Amino acid sequence: MELLDKAEAYLERNPDIDLQYMLFTERGFFYRWIGDYDQAKLSFKRILDFIDEDDSHRNAVVNNSIATLLRETGEFVEALNYHHRSLQYRFRVQNGGELGLAATYLNYARTFDDLNRLDQSLVMYERALHYATLINHRRLYMEIVSSFANVLNRLGNFDAAMLYYREGLEAAQEFGETRSKSLLYSALGLVHLNLGEPEAAKYNYERSYAMVKEVNLPWVVRLKLSYLDFLLKTGDTVKAHEVISATEEIIGELGSQLETADFIAQKAYLSYLNSDYISAARYFREAGTRYIQAAPYRIEPEFYFRKAFNLIAINEQAGLIQAGEALEYLEKFRLETALTGNTRAEYFSELSRYVSEIVLIYMKKGDAAKAFDVAERLKSRVFSEELNLSSLLSQSLIEINRQQDFEVLQAGIISLENQVLQAADPIQRDTLQMEIEQQQLRLEALLGEVSLINPALHELMNPPRISLAQAAAQLDQGAVGLHIVTGGSETGYLAFTNTETRQGVVSLSGKELAENVTGVRERIISGLPLSELKPFLDEVTTAMIPVEILEILAGARELIISVDGVWAYLPVAALRYRDTYFAETKTISFTPSFTARSLLNQRHLINRNGRREALVFANPVIPASDPDARTSGNIADMQNLRPLPFSELEGRWVAEFFPGAVRLKTGTEARETVLSEPDISRYSLIHFAAHGLLDERNPRYSGLVLATSAEDEGYGHNVDGFLRTTEISVLRLNADIVMLSACNTGIGRVLSGEGVLGLQRAFLNAGSSAVAVTLWSVEDRATSLLMRNFYQQLNRQYEERPRFSRRNTELNYKEALREAQLSLLENPQYAHPVNWASFVITGR
């Protein structure tokens, strides 16, 4: 510093612009390094006083440096102005400006991160990656992919984040940088934690912390806060106290305003975990004040939920008022986070545990209307948003002449996913996965552009929730609606009919519930003798569901369940009460939420298919593999599948008994491309009697195995005979129901709050009003028999109606499925639930 002061004194006597630029640049970086951000900003701003306006390169560098400092001190809005100026100067640089553009876009993206404007940050990262790749700058590439992965991790796209972090770590190993490696190990720890891998998370966090434990520099503060957050989330309060003590010594001197606010918020949560609610309240209040001063855009909803639960522990009524404010903030936060599809679902799923606990509190207070309202905030919100948004989105794209661009991007993603499945080389697969993410970013950017032009789209991201009274009014006589919500240690049930409401809460944690569901599934699938299975099902039913709820269910003729989490995998039809299977007394169906059910009903009424025509795919010829090709995942698994002779018989039974015209596609005719025909919306029922292949971790690679043909070569993307969820979602169906008579079609990625991301959600998004799926692999002969009885029941419904009303009266698919299940239950050869309890209908 003394030498810099002498140099400045000399230049005051002997001005030289080049030397002055070097001096103040060095001063700025030095002050930033020691954490004196005010002096750092002053040093860089001094440069703007003497450099020429035409010196585009230096103006770009200085503006970018000032923007970075403003971002690091929480002055995000002002930072955006300097980013914009820097970018304007960068575009004036005639030659060799790629490095500067990459650096500017990187810092621009990071500022958007801090403002939670993640849609814009993703676009900026894409541009930064483009320029860094052009010049093959490994060090900058490492910085960009690491920051890009941070956003993907925040959005819940953990697999993609893992790929980018590993890319960054590989580059960091080349340079041997402690800073970069420690940051990346910490980030990998968070990914593993989000993936439910606590041991791997602990390993990476501890490795990162060990590298920086004795280092006291500004960049280390964020690492220590990340490790502290991990300890608090995993309940290690002893170690957390130790890290807080160590961090407290440096936070005031080296931490930014935002980091100081984060640190105090973590102290508050540690006090809450230690039941010191008064101290926690004081820390929460202080952290909230600091957040408002430093970075109001960066306040995560989790902070407000933690603060509310601490107040609930002191004063429940006051705490619930604050919880309501947290819920409203979450709604505002959702609207400002302009993301779509599964990315949005994964992002908000992490917050569902707080909402679940609020629902449980209202249930225990006996406030059914409030419990229902909060539960509807929790359940399948993204799915409801997509239903509300779809029609207006298509219209808006056409108005701005971007429909074709949208379709090209969707087709590009589908083509890349097909290539991933065809690739056996892990490096090639990872590269393709990264390209998919880039395409997804372009899609997000296009949707952001559309929402700016048509503000109504933004409003439709928050569809109106249905009330308890409205949901009850939409039930038929004898029907029961059931909300199920699981919290940290309890599970709550809210049952309602046209005339009454009941609530019940049992001491059943998410882990215990998962064990019960797994126990039911394992005993049924393994074929446990009925003499042992029935008593077990009697016992587990009363252990999971309160008696007051079982009593109202006992008298129901129809049960509609809004499930959450692992409940989606439970064969409810096989549960028993008073020595009777649920299926014996009532129809059973799942719905994403009662708001979603209402929206599905509205769509069905508007687009009601007046035709009674069925399209059936049965026993498709499994696509032949290239003997020289090396494939992976589900494409490789396709080669091991056996033919399904009974599924072809199943298809012929549909043709025989379905009360309407049937188009039957078997063998080589059961092709994937049939679903892309222009008149696909004419079919009121689509039936698949085929193999299903599931990828629970990444549901975009789940699908149905169909046939291929040389005639398919004219289609715009690779047609491989594997109909995946991404391809299904872009179909234009108008079916009353899609029957998935294939193995495990109800299995997918379970997200708390959102339900199962998989085939059924894809078909609902594509336009079907309901989807029948299976919860396990069912023996081919039993499935065929069940389906024959199902279509016989549909035919019976049709024949029993007066001729003049047949065309306008809808078929009751739920009742037909129940009657088909009972026909197997009454047959001694097929009476075991493994043969009939797997099927469940999801939808309206």
Side-chain angles (χ1 to χ4, degrees):
M1 179 55 71
E2 184 179 347
L3 291 174
L4 289 173
D5 289 340
K6 289 180 178 180
E8 183 176 354
Y10 172 81
L11 288 172
E12 285 178 358
R13 297 190 301 273
N14 306 281
D16 183 295
I17 289 178
D18 291 336
L19 290 176
Q20 285 177 300
Y21 175 79
M22 292 172 60
L23 169 69
F24 286 106
T25 299
E26 288 299 319
R27 264 194 185 280
F29 285 128
F30 174 77
Y31 281 124
R32 182 192 180 205
W33 179 256
I34 63 173
D36 192 340
Y37 288 95
D38 289 336
Q39 285 298 322
K41 284 182 281 189
L42 185 61
S43 297
F44 282 111
K45 286 180 178 179
R46 287 279 299 275
I47 298 174
L48 296 177
D49 294 335
F50 60 76
I51 58 172
D52 194 280
E53 173 68 18
D54 294 330
D55 193 342
S56 299
H57 173 71
R58 286 178 175 173
N59 272 293
V61 170
V62 173
N63 277 281
N64 189 45
S65 299
I66 295 170
T68 301
L69 290 165
L70 289 166
R71 177 179 65 80
E72 290 175 346
T73 54
E75 299 166 82
F76 304 120
V77 176
E78 189 177 354
L80 288 178
N81 293 328
Y82 280 95
H83 282 311
H84 184 65
R85 291 176 201 165
S86 176
L87 204 54
Q88 288 180 316
Y89 284 116
R90 288 291 183 199
F91 284 128
R92 295 183 194 174
V93 176
Q94 297 298 316
N95 298 304
E98 290 86 357
L99 175 60
L101 281 167
T104 300
Y105 276 122
L106 169 62
N107 286 323
Y108 216 151
R110 286 172 170 170
T111 301
F112 279 127
D113 287 352
D114 291 328
L115 288 166
N116 274 317
R117 290 161 65 176
L118 303 180
D119 55 332
Q120 290 161 295
S121 76
L122 290 172
V123 174
M124 295 298 174
Y125 280 127
E126 181 192 3
R127 294 173 183 170
L129 277 172
H130 169 74
Y131 287 111
T133 304
L134 277 180
I135 57 176
N136 195 28
H137 196 293
R138 291 289 288 167
R139 188 180 293 274
L140 187 57
Y141 180 81
M142 173 189 69
E143 291 280 338
I144 295 169
V145 296
S146 302
S147 297
F148 183 41
N150 288 339
V151 178
L152 293 172
N153 196 15
R154 287 178 65 194
L155 295 175
N157 199 339
F158 306 130
D159 290 321
M162 184 81 77
L163 289 173
Y164 280 102
Y165 281 138
R166 286 175 177 164
E167 279 271 312
L169 192 56
E170 183 181 324
Q173 301 287 9
E174 295 176 19
F175 304 116
E177 287 189 350
T178 298
R179 179 178 183 272
S180 298
K181 286 193 291 185
S182 58
L183 287 167
L184 284 161
Y185 279 123
S186 176
L188 280 168
L190 181 56
V191 174
H192 283 295
L193 183 65
N194 290 332
L195 286 171
E197 301 165 356
E199 290 305 315
K202 183 179 180 181
Y203 169 80
N204 282 282
Y205 271 117
E206 289 184 346
R207 191 165 185 179
S208 169
Y209 187 66
M211 289 180 174
V212 300
K213 187 175 181 180
E214 304 302 326
V215 179
N216 290 328
L217 291 170
W219 61 268
V220 173
V221 173
R222 178 54 57 188
L223 276 180
K224 293 185 175 180
L225 292 177
S226 297
Y227 181 48
L228 179 56
D229 187 58
F230 162 73
L231 295 171
L232 293 173
K233 284 180 176 176
T234 54
D236 190 347
T237 55
V238 175
K239 185 69 176 178
H241 182 77
E242 176 187 321
V243 175
I244 277 182
S245 298
T247 308
E248 195 141 31
E249 297 174 3
I250 63 170
I251 191 74
E253 180 182 354
L254 302 177
S256 67
Q257 287 180 300
L258 178 59
E259 287 167 340
T260 302
D262 285 341
F263 176 69
I264 295 170
Q266 289 176 331
K267 284 178 70 174
Y269 191 52
L270 178 60
S271 297
Y272 168 74
L273 293 176
N274 287 329
S275 302
D276 185 358
Y277 305 124
I278 303 302
S279 296
R282 185 175 69 253
Y283 288 133
F284 276 124
R285 187 165 52 251
E286 182 182 352
T289 301
R290 288 180 178 267
Y291 276 131
I292 296 299
Q293 293 172 346
Y297 305 98
R298 280 302 305 272
I299 307 179
E300 295 283 342
E302 185 172 56
F303 170 75
Y304 287 115
F305 281 118
R306 287 178 171 180
K307 183 179 179 183
F309 280 107
N310 183 72
L311 185 54
I312 286 170
I314 300 171
N315 183 311
E316 183 177 82
Q317 192 58 40
L320 285 173
I321 292 172
Q322 197 161 88
E325 294 171 359
L327 288 167
E328 291 305 318
Y329 181 79
L330 176 59
E331 295 297 329
K332 176 175 177 286
F333 195 84
R334 291 178 68 89
L335 287 174
E336 293 173 353
T337 308
L339 303 163
T340 58
N342 291 354
T343 301
R344 191 174 176 85
E346 290 165 334
Y347 183 66
F348 289 104
S349 176
E350 290 299 304
L351 298 168
S352 65
R353 65 185 185 276
Y354 296 109
V355 185
S356 297
E357 294 295 340
I358 296 171
V359 175
L360 290 169
I361 291 172
Y362 279 117
M363 282 186 179
K364 286 185 283 189
K365 285 173 66 68
D367 191 339
K370 193 67 178 177
F372 183 92
D373 177 68
V374 178
E376 286 294 310
R377 291 176 184 257
L378 167 70
K379 301 283 193 72
S380 295
R381 285 295 304 282
V382 173
F383 177 67
S384 298
E385 290 162 0
E386 290 172 344
L387 284 178
N388 215 36
L389 188 66
S390 56
S391 59
L392 186 57
L393 174 61
S394 178
Q395 178 186 336
S396 299
L397 286 166
I398 291 170
E399 286 175 359
I400 65 171
N401 199 28
R402 299 300 298 275
Q403 178 75 19
Q404 185 176 358
D405 294 339
F406 185 77
E407 291 173 355
V408 167
L409 286 169
Q410 286 184 318
I413 292 170
I414 289 170
S415 179
L416 286 166
E417 289 175 352
N418 285 340
Q419 292 176 54
V420 169
L421 290 172
Q422 296 286 352
D425 178 43
I427 295 176
Q428 183 186 2
R429 286 202 304 274
D430 289 352
T431 302
L432 289 167
Q433 290 280 20
M434 291 181 182
E435 288 185 38
I436 289 171
E437 295 306 323
Q438 297 300 309
Q439 283 284 88
Q440 190 66 45
L441 294 184
R442 297 183 184 101
L443 194 63
E444 300 285 358
L446 177 54
L447 293 175
E449 178 186 335
V450 174
S451 66
L452 286 175
I453 295 170
N454 190 343
L457 282 175
H458 194 66
E459 295 171 9
L460 286 175
M461 293 301 288
N462 188 23
R465 297 183 304 278
I466 194 170
S467 69
L468 176 58
Q470 290 169 325
Q474 292 180 11
L475 295 179
D476 293 331
Q477 194 69 29
V480 174
L482 180 63
H483 250 311
I484 305 173
V485 174
T486 301
S489 60
E490 296 174 314
T491 296
Y493 300 79
L494 193 162
F496 59 94
T497 69
N498 300 131
T499 57
E500 67 172 313
T501 301
R502 294 189 191 179
Q503 300 167 86
V505 177
V506 293
S507 295
L508 191 69
S509 68
K511 181 180 179 182
E512 291 167 334
L513 178 61
E515 290 171 353
N516 280 334
V517 172
T518 301
V520 171
R521 288 173 57 85
E522 287 178 349
R523 285 167 173 81
I524 291 177
I525 295 171
S526 66
L528 185 72
L530 289 175
S531 59
E532 299 177 44
L533 180 63
K534 287 181 178 180
F536 170 76
L537 292 172
D538 288 331
E539 181 182 345
V540 78
T541 301
T542 54
M544 287 195 299
I545 306 175
V547 173
E548 58 268 36
I549 301 298
L550 287 171
E551 287 297 318
I552 193 173
L553 299 186
R557 294 200 301 268
E558 180 182 7
L559 174 58
I560 304 165
I561 310 174
S562 174
V563 298
D564 189 28
V566 294
W567 260 91
Y569 288 174
L570 182 68
V572 178
L575 295 181
R576 289 172 58 86
Y577 184 58
R578 296 177 181 168
D579 299 321
T580 303
Y581 289 113
F582 275 27
E584 293 183 74
T585 59
K586 59 185 69 64
T587 64
I588 298 163
S589 63
F590 290 168
T591 187
S593 71
F594 288 96
T595 296
R597 180 173 183 262
S598 178
L599 291 169
L600 286 168
N601 275 321
Q602 290 174 31
R603 186 179 71 179
H604 177 75
L605 290 172
I606 293 169
N607 303 324
R608 184 177 174 186
N609 194 333
R611 302 173 184 269
R612 186 160 288 139
E613 297 184 33
L615 174 62
V616 182
F617 297 85
N619 196 24
V621 170
I622 296 168
S625 62
D626 181 347
D628 298 322
R630 296 175 63 226
T631 57
S632 66
N634 283 339
I635 290 293
D637 292 340
M638 284 168 59
Q639 313 312 319
N640 301 320
L641 299 175
R642 59 178 177 80
L644 298 170
F646 280 95
S647 73
E648 189 160 344
L649 180 60
E650 180 180 324
R652 300 197 184 282
W653 278 333
V654 180
E656 180 178 351
F657 294 113
F658 180 72
V662 176
R663 184 183 179 194
L664 176 60
K665 295 291 184 180
T666 63
T668 56
E669 292 185 349
R671 303 200 318 272
E672 176 183 354
T673 51
V674 172
L675 290 158
S676 300
E677 294 175 356
D679 65 345
I680 192 66
S681 63
R682 68 184 294 138
Y683 299 106
S684 59
L685 182 144
I686 302 176
H687 184 107
F688 293 90
H691 281 292
L693 293 174
L694 285 301
D695 187 332
E696 290 185 62
R697 181 155 175 169
N698 198 342
R700 68 173 16 146
Y701 297 120
S702 295
L704 300 167
V705 180
L706 300 176
T708 59
S709 165
E711 300 174 24
D712 299 334
E713 293 179 0
Y715 284 79
H717 56 81
N718 297 330
V719 178
D720 53 15
F722 188 48
L723 180 68
R724 292 175 292 98
T725 54
T726 312
E727 297 170 300
I728 293 165
S729 294
V730 299
L731 298 176
R732 296 180 178 178
L733 308 181
N734 189 21
D736 295 336
I737 192 167
V738 172
M739 301 294 298
L740 300 182
S741 181
C743 299
N744 298 301
T745 49
I747 305 301
R749 183 172 180 184
V750 177
L751 288 182
S752 181
E754 275 302 318
V756 178
L757 303 186
L759 292 172
Q760 70 266 51
R761 181 156 173 158
F763 276 109
L764 290 172
N765 279 332
S768 181
S769 295
V771 185
V773 296
T774 57
L775 300 178
W776 57 76
S777 299
V778 184
E779 193 266 329
D780 194 17
R781 188 190 304 266
T783 301
S784 178
L785 183 59
L786 182 75
M787 287 295 102
R788 185 189 71 176
N789 292 335
F790 172 76
Y791 285 100
Q792 283 180 327
Q793 290 298 324
L794 290 179
N795 188 270
R796 182 185 60 78
Q797 289 180 21
Y798 180 77
E799 293 293 338
E800 288 178 353
R801 289 171 183 163
R803 287 185 179 276
F804 67 84
S805 67
R806 288 177 180 175
R807 177 178 293 273
N808 297 320
T809 305
E810 294 191 22
L811 298 172
N812 189 332
Y813 296 101
K814 298 175 187 177
E815 182 61 32
L817 177 60
R818 187 182 82 88
E819 292 290 347
Q821 290 173 322
L822 291 181
S823 68
L824 266 66
L825 176 60
E826 292 164 1
N827 183 333
Q829 186 178 351
Y830 296 104
H832 197 287
V834 71
N835 296 307
W836 53 264
S838 174
F839 277 88
V840 64
I841 292 177
T842 297
R844 72 179 189 92

